[in-house]
Each structure stands twice: as C-alpha cells, then as structure tokens.
Amino acid sequence: MTDVITADFVDLELDAGDRQAAARSLAQRLLDAQRVTDLDGFLADIATRESQMPTGIEGGIGIPHCRSAHVTEPSLAFGRSAAGIDFGAPDGPADLIFLIAAPEGGDASHMKILASLARKLVRQDFKDTLRSIGDPGEAAAFIQKEVAPS
C-alpha cells in the first residue's frame, strides 16, 4: 500500500477563509498527485457530506471527509491554519485540518483512518506536535506513522 499522506499533501500555512476554500486547497494537492480525478466532483461530494453534519470537533480540529468516485486511492491531506477555519465545532474554529479522501465502493480504509485519527486527536501531545512541526515531510511522516492503517 502506498503512503496515505506525503509531504506534497501537507500545507503548514493553509490560507483559506472558509471550509470550502480549505477543502479546495487541500484537494488540489490530491488532484496534483492524481489521487483525485475531478476536483469539482470531489468537492461536491465533500459538500454533500458536510451538509449532513459538520466535521469540526473540539480542540481546533476539522476533518472533512467522504467517499467519492473521483478518488483513486485512500488519501489524507493535512493543513494548518494560523487564522482558524470554521468547521462547525462547538468550541470554535479549527487550526488543524485533515482532509480524508476514499474511493467510492472501496474498502473501509477511510473509516480506519478516521477512527485512528480520532483516537490520536484526544492526545494533547499529538496535537501539540502537529501545531509545532515545521517541515511538511516531517509532518507527513509523523501522521503516516500515527494514523495509517496497518
């Protein structure tokens, strides 16, 4: 299995005014790597998922995710926003954003990634590391090691 996240999928200076812009920016990275085949189609699938329930969780976390026919393999993109982006969490904007993309009709990989990520995000040291790490390659390696399905 290929890495679910690479340095190319990490933006440590994500500059987006809202959740749609954040998703577009991170999804563009997956499109550039040919893990997404149709950016607008994929973003529509994310928007559909977001309309069902916000994907913000307490602690400054946004986790937009979906299954999509426009995804070629399970992938995870990560962005860090200095300004914060509203993903609907009760405690306010998210500064750590994880975009989980899974192929439609694929196995449960994205749910495994989501579950593993959720378990890690309750740990303050995990969030602190993500907030302080200074290199996209280091961030990708850290996230891959911590949340990739085994």
Side-chain angles (χ1 to χ4, degrees):
M1 178 180 191
T2 58
D3 287 345
V4 71
I5 185 169
T6 71
D8 293 334
F9 305 167
V10 175
D11 184 350
L12 298 178
E13 297 178 5
L14 180 62
D15 184 18
D18 59 27
R19 70 180 86 179
Q20 293 82 11
R24 178 172 287 278
S25 179
L26 294 174
Q28 181 66 52
R29 292 172 175 271
L30 300 180
L31 179 74
D32 292 345
Q34 300 178 338
R35 295 206 185 179
V36 167
T37 59
D38 176 347
L39 183 62
D40 291 330
F42 177 58
L43 291 171
D45 292 340
I46 291 172
T48 297
R49 170 60 188 87
E50 285 277 330
S51 72
Q52 296 169 356
M53 182 187 334
T55 57
I57 60 173
E58 289 186 21
I61 311 298
I63 311 177
H65 59 280
C66 72
R67 287 182 183 251
S68 175
H70 309 292
V71 174
T72 61
E73 64 184 281
S75 302
L76 174 64
F78 170 67
R80 192 170 64 201
S81 169
I85 300 164
D86 181 9
F87 275 88
D91 67 338
D95 64 321
L96 303 176
I97 296 94
F98 300 87
L99 174 67
I100 302 174
E104 186 175 74
D107 62 15
S109 293
H110 93 290
M111 291 308 294
K112 290 178 185 174
I113 294 167
L114 187 58
S116 179
L117 184 58
R119 283 192 300 275
K120 297 296 180 179
L121 287 170
V122 299
R123 290 188 16 226
Q124 191 61 46
D125 63 320
F126 180 76
K127 293 181 283 190
D128 289 346
T129 297
L130 291 173
R131 288 185 171 115
S132 67
I133 206 160
D135 176 77
E138 288 177 35
F142 175 72
I143 294 167
Q144 176 75 24
K145 177 178 77 75
E146 293 288 326
V147 305
S150 48

